[in-house]
Amino acid sequence: MMLGAEDSRATEEAKEAERWLADAFGLRGKLEPLPGAHDRNFKVTAADGSRSLFTIHPPGSDPRAELQAAALHHLEQHAPALPLPRLFLGRGGTPLVVVRDTAGLERRLRLTTWLDGTVWAEAPQRGPQAAAALGRLLARLDRSLAAFHHPAATQPHAWDFANAAARRDDAALIAAPERRAAAQEILHRFLLEVAPRLSNLPRQVIHGDANDRNILLDPAGEVSGLLDFGAMVETWRVNELAVAAATVAIGADDPIAAILPLVEAYCVENPIGAVEADVLFDLILTRYAVGMALAARQSRAQPEETWAVLTAMRAQNRALATARLRRAAGHEPVPERRAIENWILKQGGGFGPVLPGSLENLALLPLGADRDDTRGRPFRAALHAALAGIEGTAVGRYGEDRSIYDAQTGAERRTIHHAIDIYAPAGTPVLAPLPGRIAMIGNDTSSDGFGGIIVLEHEAGTPHRFWTFYGHLAPGSLADRTTGAVVAQGDALGRLGLPEENGNWPPHLHMQLMTALCFDRAEAIIGLSLRSAWDLWESIFPNPNGILGLRIETAAIVARDPESLLRLRRQTTSPALTLSYDTPLKIVQGEGAYLIAQDGRRYLDMVNNVCQVGHAHPRVVEAIAQQAARLNTNTRYLHDNLVEYTRRLTRLLPPELSTVFLVNSGSEANDLALRLAKAHTGGTDVMVLDHAYHGNLSSLIEISPRKFDGKGGTGRPRHVWVTEMPDLYRGRFRYGDAEAGARYAEKIATLLRDMSGLNRRLAAFFVEPILGSGGQLVLPDGYLKAACEEIRAAGGVCIIDEVQTGFGRAGSHFWAFETQGVVPDIVTLGKPIGNGHPIGAVACRPEIAAAFASGMGYFNSFGGNPVSAAAGLAVLDIIRDERLMPHAEAMGRYLRDGLTKLAERHALIGDVRGLGLFIGVELVRDRETLEPADTELKAIIEAVKAEGILLSSEGPHRNVLKIKPPLVIAKRDCDFLLQTLDAVMARLA
Ligand code: PMP
């Protein structure tokens, strides 16, 4: 068989390639040519089966070859974990080996690792998960490329959007008129409207070519490789995302939906700015247009799939697409919402009524998941029943969850109402509450539809254009309306329709505010949205009651899914606000010792010592509600509750502590205690126990070794002295040493001598009566007595921080310090004091209070308010009436006995300790070395959570299981915990 000229040249080239490969990289193997636009690529299979990629760059000195090698080298150094080609060094120890071809021209050769996977274009596993994986990869890639620079990257590249002007010229060569016009229009728009917005956006070197032949997927849908760095260029960073988005959208029914996981995942790791998100939609279109233009210039066939996806993209409503992309990037979907809402807020009475007559006698429809009066009936039936029971004007709420619609289908349905409904007789005229222009008129004849619709556009005097939507009108009443017509405030827009002309609904107005025109026809506008996308739709359709001015609760708080909550929480709060558990819980209700998650799952709460008398105790709730309904004000007026509470509290304390201050938290209590101590002693310095935590105020972070010695801490301040924890399990003096208490206190005496040697004066000693953050450590007998004597002898006062442990938790005593037989100078209270209502208290000796009353008043806006005092009184009543102290004592003993028995079976349990219902279980890998079992404890806590019990860890080594439940736990709850722990520890052992 004769070989053709082409074939023989290919064979010749392959032979040459084989020679070069052997010569440059010392590698022999089978070479298979691969497609490539710029370079010649070969798949090399060596005799041992190993594979690699051999690249021959075009003849001549090629700066782009240098660029690629430099970039791959940079990525190898800075992003070694990414699935990217890695360079082999060739002859001379360089990744780019120079040879001469037969024509005498220089050729640069490169050998890189082979990456396995299926190219995106052919991978059945492409989908949302793969798109997210691609987003993560590109985000990491771009983060490491941000610090990479190379002169060749600044050279123009045909695909770079920066050269859109040249591509617009090329687009004239596209043969098909419709395609030509589309590409030209997109490139024109890019040059005119998009490019100016890009000028200030971040620039860097990007890969720039995540097309469907360059992305490899593994069978699980993870990205296993990104190939072809030949299009690398220094340009706007957001182009990277646009190129990838253009790839991901191909073939999708909803191209924007396909892109969202990519953008979301990218932005978690490499956040983009609002303007970058704004231009993304146009950049994606531009990518398609550039591809079409270049195909025409190079006389290649027009890519059909590009045209198909471009057509689908161009059919998208631009405002909606932009809002969706902005949301995925973590920005407010419609940025104008802020100014529009704030403008409406300022108008006050400037809006006119939407229905004639007074809207005074309003009644809320008892509908929606949160009010659940639907009793399993379909929404329509529930609505009719609710309307029958209402006198006056019925109102349907914004944000109402008509989840009853969900009943029939598994797929998520649109159930969240983003309008306000006002029920009035058919024929009632609907008036324009503000001037505008008719933007749309429609008649939605679908069953359950809107019937007659009118949409007004408002622009004059407003910061941004916005729209108002009026649905369920009589279509006949709109017959002589025309779009574009100007409407004055108070003009009749139409009349409310009869059921048969408004989707069969009882006559009512559906009024909706619109910050963006996200639909092209009035009939397409939606009145309900997906719960999972609520943050998108509430931005497009905010609560319209600023315009309506209905004096009734028109807004329901939408119950968001935990994933959305987490995302939105990250956007508006600090990451320093930590969450419990690998998968955070969304708790929606509390009941006694149980917490109930949004999915209905009940959890036994074994760790919340704030809700001392049980979650949502009805008597506390009632006390708060009653007082809040009557009066809440500050302590500058006389009020019974303040005096009743302070008198009550002092009777529970030793008679010496006769003065009480009411504050808002444990931290505030400790801060005030510090001020009191300084005023009384004239000292400045503070003695604390190692690993202690006393609160979140600056003054308390300074005296909390747990914080100042922990992550992000700035070390011990000069005025703070840290004594060792009297730890009977791992400390210097252990269980069985009857003198341990006194011996640990000796350390304090030593420190006090050092202090006076430095001429420093002690103000206070802060100590918890059971060490919480120290690891639930019970103090040795005699410790506080000896410590307090030393402290007082040095002129300081003893402050007992009873924030964690008070109010009967210790079981045998109301206050845990009483078990040590001491009378403190100051006691600080918090957490359980209001059963979750924010209260704190400081009780002190009157002479200390006297020293503080120096003339400077003490005012606290909230501390001691009548509502807080009412909550505090209710807590004290309940502890007495429900006999919670002896109960805590009994349950605590039962639990500790059970845990001690567990220790016989589980070697991990090193120590069980506690008083009443303040218990610690210390886990160790070895009972001799006491090596802390911290990771084991974390796994146990997660596994126990999966069984429905909430626990937490404590201690310097995070190896102490903390148990401090509401005091109302039952014996069967204790059994549940003991059995679950037993089973989990056996399973994980
Ligand atoms: N003291 C101790 C011992 C605490 O455990 C805490 C809170 N964990 C505080 C003070 C501070 O209380 P709050 O968080 O109410 O300010």
Side-chain angles (χ1 to χ4, degrees), residues 665-668 670 693-696 768 801 803-804 830-831:
S665 67
S667 297
E668 264 200 8
N670 279 337
Y693 173 72
H694 293 292
N696 57 31
E768 292 171 86
D801 179 339
V803 167
Q804 291 262 11
K831 291 193 191 279

Side-chain angles (χ1 to χ4, degrees), residues 39-94:
D39 312 316
R40 276 169 56 212
N41 290 310
F42 296 89
K43 175 180 181 177
V44 182
T45 311
D48 64 357
S50 66
R51 287 165 302 172
S52 46
L53 180 71
F54 182 45
T55 302
I56 304 172
H57 293 288
S61 78
D62 182 0
R64 299 200 65 82
E66 309 281 348
L67 163 63
Q68 289 188 53
L72 288 175
H73 179 71
H74 174 90
L75 290 166
E76 205 161 316
Q77 304 292 307
H78 296 94
L82 296 186
L84 303 175
R86 300 299 176 195
L87 295 163
F88 289 108
L89 297 184
R91 176 161 43 78
T94 65

